[in-house]
Amino acid sequence: MFWRFGFHPASNVDALLEKEGVTLEELFEEEELLQECKSHNSKLIEFLCRPDILQQLLNTIITENPDETKKFKYPYLAAEIFGCEIYAVSDAVITQPNLLESFWTLLDRPAPIHPLQASYFSKVNGILMQKKAGDMVEFVKSQTKSIQNILTHVGNSSIAELLLKIISLEEIPEGQGIVPWLSQQGLIPALVERLDPNLDIETHNTAAQTLLDIIAVSYQNVGPIEQEDGMPANMGGGNSLVDELKSEAMMRKIFGYMLDKNAPNATSSLSSGVIIMIELIRRYCSEIEQAEFQQHQFQTQMMQSARNEFGILPTPEKMKSLAVDLNDLLRVIGEKVSEFSFLLEHPRNMVSESCYARLVITPLGSERLRTCELFAEILHLQYLYFSSPLFERLQAEPGKDVDALSVGMEGMNIKKIRNVGDELVSISELLVNAKVLPMCLVLFFQFPWNNFLHSVVYDMIAKVFNTYSFTSQSSNFAPIGPDGNEIVPPPGEDGVLSPLEEKMKEVSVIFKKLVVSILVEGKLTSKITEAQRRNDFEVEQPKGVRLGYMGHLTYISDEVTKLVEKCLEDFGSEVKELIESDDWQEYLGGVLRETKDRDRQALGGVRPTHTGQTSTAFGKIDETDMPPMTSAPPPKKELGGGLHHSTPATTQNDSDEEDDEVGKGADSIMADGGDVASDQFARYLCQNLVSDLPDRGILGDDSDDEDEGLEEAIEDELLMDETGYYSVYDLLHGSLLLSNHYYFAIFFIAVSMWCVVFHSFTPICCVFILHHW
């Protein structure tokens, strides 16, 4: 604290700065340099703010020193000086644009640049963006090749991080406008072009990861910012960069790269493209879930609050944006379903088969796995969309488009704009026609050890069954209106369905076709029973093990069982014959039942209950030998000194003694009706407390004769019952007799602490003399 009042000694840095002609390298050799920077040494800051010193600092970061002793030390110190966040230094750099221009010449170099130089470069620019966000935005915009140079080195993680920092400036007032400017600079098209299948795999990975980071940053920056009229400033998710990525032009270019038949690295392009599509779909799902949460929160507060202060409902503009947000992406996927289904049977990366241990093995390949993942994500979106309580609002017409070419004598035809639900229904129809789900089932059983594929296919089947189960039962559907109240669909006139009922019926019909495609065309039930027989054969072999998909088959069988219980009457004779077949019924009543019973058992064979008792033969408690919970307390026995203890617990039969030896003590119930678990714990605690009582020999040996009777009473009569545990009441009564020892022990500890604190041992000697006396 003395340095606050100017009593600290002068540092070596101050002494060095008083010299004439001091150089930056001399400062770098001082060990206290960074400490003085953090303490905001005025002389040091004045020295560092000189233009020539700032130029040397920035050049030290981007220039490689030939001296090995200075190669890593000097750039590190230069970057750390900026890391001390000295406002005067940052302001001096910003006010001299020529310093930043020379600093950014690092990006003019050909790739790759040194990782350390890139790391320090990104760190310094990040600090300047925090201190002078508006000035840095203007500087970045003034550089004609800044984005192009960043994309040249975007494979470097530090440069990619710098790009994300620039995008993040949009969330602060000083940085608003940077995202539209990046869009005008062609950032998204430049990254999409790097997914060209003629480029190398590393370029694909870098471009895909950068796009994923842009998506993540764009959605994170969207906050509940409201305009002056109280409406949110951003109705949709993401920003203009993400909107450009989801546009039809970008989607067609990406899918063209993914499905190229002649390019050498088309498989890598497909994998990278699928990852991007999945991320976009998941972000859209999170937007729907967020809107559902706002709706639910509004309804809850409306019912619980007496005032008119409720949550914020999803605005109509927000719902209209969600209704058409993924139209272009889903439309392009629907056009490419047939090509994707062809890849499931004829993958491009299967040039040669792998040979291992004289066996010819055809691997699954990344193409087929990624294709299955893409279809699984679409089916997940369908389930979330069609089962959403906001389905009615999502189905509202987002707008109308006048087709000028269809104007006739009767007037203009108004064409409805398709929404996400319409595109999902179209994709489902195409999946049925292309038999995609039966192909996925074939791959499931063809590769018994690929659990990645098994998880994906199981998710597909579960989502199809659950979606149909929900849409086929109209009682599950309770639409929500813009005011937060449930909408009761008006009955149609003369048997005509309402628009909402008509849409749900259309969805139910499509998903019924998907269910039939899985059960009939995919022969799911027969393949499950056949796989079970194959597994039994493998297990019976020497050193045989269960096949890798057996766990997922149990899950799939459960999904089939739940669907049959709810919707069997909706299907025709083909499905009923498969469900009622002897093989399937035998599997349900035999293997599946045994597997589920075994899975329900607790690990170790013992399932604990809330009373602490066990439900197996190990340590089992005979309830007939236990006293009733409401029985009267056992009689107390009066002993010398007014001590009481409980009568021994009810003895058990001789035949049960050996079986209950392990769980002894658990069969005793507290007198006041408490549960067994708490009584056991209390007895255990009392026993350990009494066993840890202070030894009488420490305090004196003269009272041995007096305490023999007390010790025998405690150990032989008072505190021990037949269970071998001390009761709560016994400890309370026993503590009264032992209070003389306890009080003296407490007094002895207090005096000892006083002696240690005040370094005097006279009082403790007096205590010993007093005790012996």
Side-chain angles (χ1 to χ4, degrees):
M1 59 179 291
F2 298 102
W3 54 84
R4 296 183 180 178
F5 303 99
F7 296 112
H8 62 284
S11 65
N12 295 333
V13 174
D14 290 334
L16 185 61
L17 291 174
E18 292 178 357
K19 294 170 51 178
E20 294 184 2
V22 61
T23 62
L24 185 61
E25 291 189 0
E26 292 177 349
L27 279 177
F28 283 157
E29 296 299 331
E30 288 295 332
E31 296 181 355
E32 301 177 357
L33 174 60
L34 294 181
Q35 185 62 33
E36 292 297 320
C37 288
K38 294 177 182 178
S39 61
H40 294 269
N41 188 314
S42 58
K43 292 182 180 180
L44 179 58
I45 293 176
E46 184 180 355
F47 176 81
L48 294 175
C49 290
R50 287 165 43 184
D52 56 330
I53 299 301
L54 288 175
Q55 185 69 57
Q56 294 180 36
L57 279 174
L58 297 176
N59 289 339
T60 301
I61 294 175
I62 63 175
T63 305
E64 187 172 354
N65 198 317
D67 190 350
E68 290 295 332
T69 60
K70 306 175 182 178
K71 182 177 181 180
F72 300 102
K73 179 181 179 181
Y74 285 6
Y76 166 76
L77 291 174
E80 286 300 317
I81 289 175
F82 287 97
C84 294
E85 298 183 0
I86 303 174
Y87 182 83
V89 175
S90 302
D91 185 68
V93 173
I94 292 296
T95 55
Q96 303 178 49
N98 59 317
L99 295 178
L100 277 178
E101 291 178 359
S102 62
F103 187 51
W104 275 60
T105 55
L106 176 69
L107 300 180
D108 294 334
R109 303 174 187 176
I113 56 179
H114 197 281
L116 278 179
Q117 293 179 352
S119 176
Y120 297 146
F121 176 83
S122 177
K123 179 178 182 179
V124 172
N125 281 285
I127 294 171
L128 294 176
M129 290 176 186
Q130 291 179 0
K131 298 296 182 181
K132 298 286 185 178
D135 295 326
M136 284 299 296
V137 168
E138 294 299 327
F139 170 78
V140 172
K141 290 182 178 180
S142 65
Q143 303 298 307
T144 56
K145 295 184 178 181
S146 58
I147 300 303
Q148 181 180 353
N149 291 338
I150 288 176
L151 291 176
T152 302
H153 303 283
V154 76
N156 190 302
S157 59
S158 299
I159 304 302
E161 182 182 357
L162 176 62
L163 176 61
L164 299 180
K165 290 179 181 178
I166 295 175
I167 298 175
S168 300
L169 292 175
E170 182 71 19
E171 64 182 342
I172 59 178
E174 296 84 357
Q176 289 185 359
I178 189 65
V179 167
W181 179 81
L182 290 173
S183 180
Q184 295 174 3
Q185 296 297 312
L187 176 61
I188 296 300
L191 289 172
V192 170
E193 289 177 357
R194 294 173 180 268
L195 297 175
D196 191 331
N198 295 302
L199 300 177
D200 59 281
I201 298 176
E202 185 64 27
T203 303
H204 297 164
N205 296 336
T206 300
Q209 186 60 47
T210 305
L211 288 172
L212 293 177
D213 293 338
I214 290 175
I215 294 171
V217 172
S218 300
Y219 277 92
Q220 288 175 359
N221 292 343
V222 177
I225 302 176
E226 296 186 357
Q227 296 176 348
E228 295 181 357
D229 56 355
M231 299 297 293
N234 191 354
M235 299 304 173
N239 52 29
S240 58
L241 294 177
V242 178
D243 294 339
E244 185 178 7
L245 178 61
K246 292 185 293 188
S247 64
E248 184 175 0
M250 292 295 104
M251 288 294 105
R252 292 191 181 280
K253 177 176 279 190
I254 294 176
F255 278 97
Y257 290 154
M258 294 166 59
L259 299 172
D260 194 311
K261 299 180 181 180
N262 301 319
N265 294 322
T267 299
S268 175
S269 297
L270 185 140
S271 299
S272 300
V274 167
I275 294 174
I276 296 171
M277 301 304 149
I278 289 177
E279 183 66 18
L280 290 173
I281 294 175
R282 289 178 178 175
R283 293 292 177 175
Y284 176 78
C285 293
S286 66
E287 289 289 309
I288 293 181
E289 291 172 349
Q290 183 180 3
E292 292 177 357
F293 175 75
Q294 292 178 355
Q295 187 84 35
H296 173 73
Q297 194 174 26
F298 176 83
Q299 291 177 320
T300 303
Q301 294 178 359
M302 185 173 59
M303 291 185 297
Q304 297 178 354
S305 178
R307 298 175 297 178
N308 295 328
E309 297 179 0
F310 309 130
I312 301 176
L313 275 173
T315 61
E317 291 76 10
K318 175 70 173 181
M319 302 309 299
K320 289 181 179 179
S321 175
L322 289 176
V324 297
D325 195 26
L326 286 184
N327 274 15
D328 296 334
L329 186 151
L330 295 176
R331 185 183 305 112
V332 177
I333 290 179
E335 295 174 359
K336 305 295 182 181
V337 167
S338 59
E339 298 183 43
F340 279 113
S341 63
F342 181 81
L343 286 180
L344 290 177
E345 293 183 323
H346 308 90
R348 296 167 299 185
N349 58 347
M350 295 297 131
V351 179
S352 60
E353 297 177 339
S354 303
C355 296
Y356 178 73
R358 297 182 180 180
L359 297 176
V360 179
I361 301 176
T362 303
L364 174 67
S366 59
E367 282 190 345
R368 294 195 282 191
L369 179 61
R370 293 299 185 187
T371 301
C372 292
E373 289 178 351
L374 177 61
F375 288 138
E377 201 63 37
I378 293 174
L379 292 174
H380 177 78
L381 172 60
Q382 290 176 336
Y383 173 73
L384 179 66
Y385 188 91
F386 293 122
S387 63
S388 173
L390 300 176
F391 178 70
E392 169 70 13
R393 299 185 64 186
L394 290 172
Q395 281 298 116
E397 292 188 10
K400 299 195 176 193
D401 184 21
V402 179
D403 189 0
L405 298 179
S406 59
V407 177
M409 296 298 296
E410 300 176 356
M412 294 187 300
N413 294 328
I414 299 178
K415 181 176 63 177
K416 177 184 176 182
I417 297 178
R418 293 173 60 87
N419 55 28
V420 172
D422 299 328
E423 301 295 343
L424 290 174
V425 170
S426 300
I427 291 179
S428 301
E429 186 74 31
L430 294 171
L431 292 177
V432 173
N433 298 334
K435 300 182 179 180
V436 171
L437 295 179
M439 293 180 188
C440 295
L441 281 176
V442 171
L443 296 177
F444 181 95
F445 293 98
Q446 184 178 351
F447 298 95
W449 300 107
N450 196 317
N451 288 145
F452 295 105
L453 175 66
H454 302 158
S455 300
V456 172
V457 175
Y458 161 69
D459 187 56
M460 296 169 69
I461 295 174
K463 290 299 181 291
V464 170
F465 287 177
N466 292 336
T467 306
Y468 175 72
S469 177
F470 182 87
T471 56
S472 62
Q473 300 177 6
S474 59
S475 60
N476 290 334
F477 185 69
I480 305 298
D483 56 352
N485 298 319
E486 294 186 359
I487 297 177
V488 179
E493 299 179 1
D494 299 331
V496 179
L497 298 176
S498 65
L500 180 61
E501 293 175 338
E502 184 178 356
K503 188 64 180 180
M504 293 300 291
K505 182 178 180 181
E506 179 184 1
V507 173
S508 178
V509 170
I510 293 299
F511 274 88
K512 182 178 179 180
K513 294 180 181 179
L514 285 173
V515 173
V516 173
S517 177
I518 294 174
L519 295 177
V520 178
E521 298 179 0
K523 301 179 180 179
L524 178 60
T525 55
S526 60
K527 287 183 178 179
I528 291 177
T529 55
E530 182 181 353
Q532 182 62 48
R533 287 191 291 267
R534 180 184 174 188
N535 175 75
D536 296 340
F537 175 77
E538 293 291 340
V539 171
E540 294 174 357
Q541 302 304 312
K543 298 182 180 180
V545 294
R546 296 174 74 241
L547 296 178
Y549 50 52
M550 295 307 299
H552 288 92
L553 280 187
T554 302
Y555 292 150
I556 294 175
S557 301
D558 286 340
E559 295 296 333
V560 175
T561 303
K562 290 187 292 185
L563 177 70
V564 168
E565 291 176 354
K566 295 180 180 179
C567 311
L568 180 60
E569 300 300 327
D570 298 345
F571 300 99
S573 58
E574 293 182 348
V575 175
K576 292 183 179 180
E577 290 177 1
L578 293 174
I579 298 301
E580 296 173 358
S581 63
D582 295 338
D583 288 347
W584 180 248
Q585 293 299 323
E586 181 181 358
Y587 171 77
L588 293 180
V591 177
L592 183 61
R593 181 182 297 274
E594 294 175 0
T595 301
K596 294 177 68 175
D597 292 341
R598 183 180 65 251
D599 293 343
R600 291 194 190 100
Q601 296 179 1
L603 295 177
V606 178
R607 180 182 293 277
T609 62
H610 69 282
T611 60
Q613 304 176 9
T614 55
S615 58
T616 62
F618 180 77
K620 184 176 180 180
I621 299 174
D622 191 357
E623 297 181 357
T624 60
D625 296 333
M626 295 172 56
M629 299 295 292
T630 58
S631 61
K636 305 286 185 177
K637 182 178 180 181
E638 190 77 22
L639 294 180
L643 292 177
H644 303 275
H645 81 89
S646 303
T647 58
T650 304
T651 57
Q652 297 178 343
N653 297 330
D654 296 337
S655 59
D656 297 334
E657 290 180 357
E658 296 182 359
D659 295 339
D660 297 340
E661 186 66 26
V662 179
K664 182 177 289 186
D667 55 347
S668 179
I669 306 299
M670 292 178 60
D672 59 348
D675 60 273
V676 178
S678 59
D679 186 46
Q680 285 182 341
F681 179 75
R683 291 173 180 272
Y684 169 79
L685 185 61
C686 296
Q687 185 178 17
N688 283 272
L689 288 174
V690 174
S691 64
D692 292 335
L693 289 176
D695 192 355
R696 299 188 321 274
I698 297 177
L699 302 178
D701 298 331
D702 297 338
S703 59
D704 289 346
D705 296 337
E706 295 180 356
D707 294 340
E708 283 184 0
L710 173 62
E711 185 176 352
E712 292 177 1
I714 292 175
E715 293 183 355
D716 299 337
E717 296 183 3
L718 281 178
L719 300 181
M720 286 287 187
D721 58 9
E722 291 186 358
T723 63
Y725 289 89
Y726 299 105
S727 69
V728 178
Y729 311 103
D730 297 334
L731 178 64
L732 293 176
H733 295 301
S735 63
L736 296 177
L737 288 183
L738 296 174
S739 60
N740 58 340
H741 293 296
Y742 272 110
Y743 293 150
F744 189 82
I746 295 172
F747 177 70
F748 181 79
I749 293 173
V751 173
S752 301
M753 293 177 61
W754 188 90
C755 294
V756 172
V757 173
F758 294 97
H759 303 285
S760 175
F761 294 92
T762 302
I764 198 169
C765 297
C766 297
V767 171
F768 270 112
I769 295 172
L770 178 63
H771 175 73
H772 283 280
W773 175 76

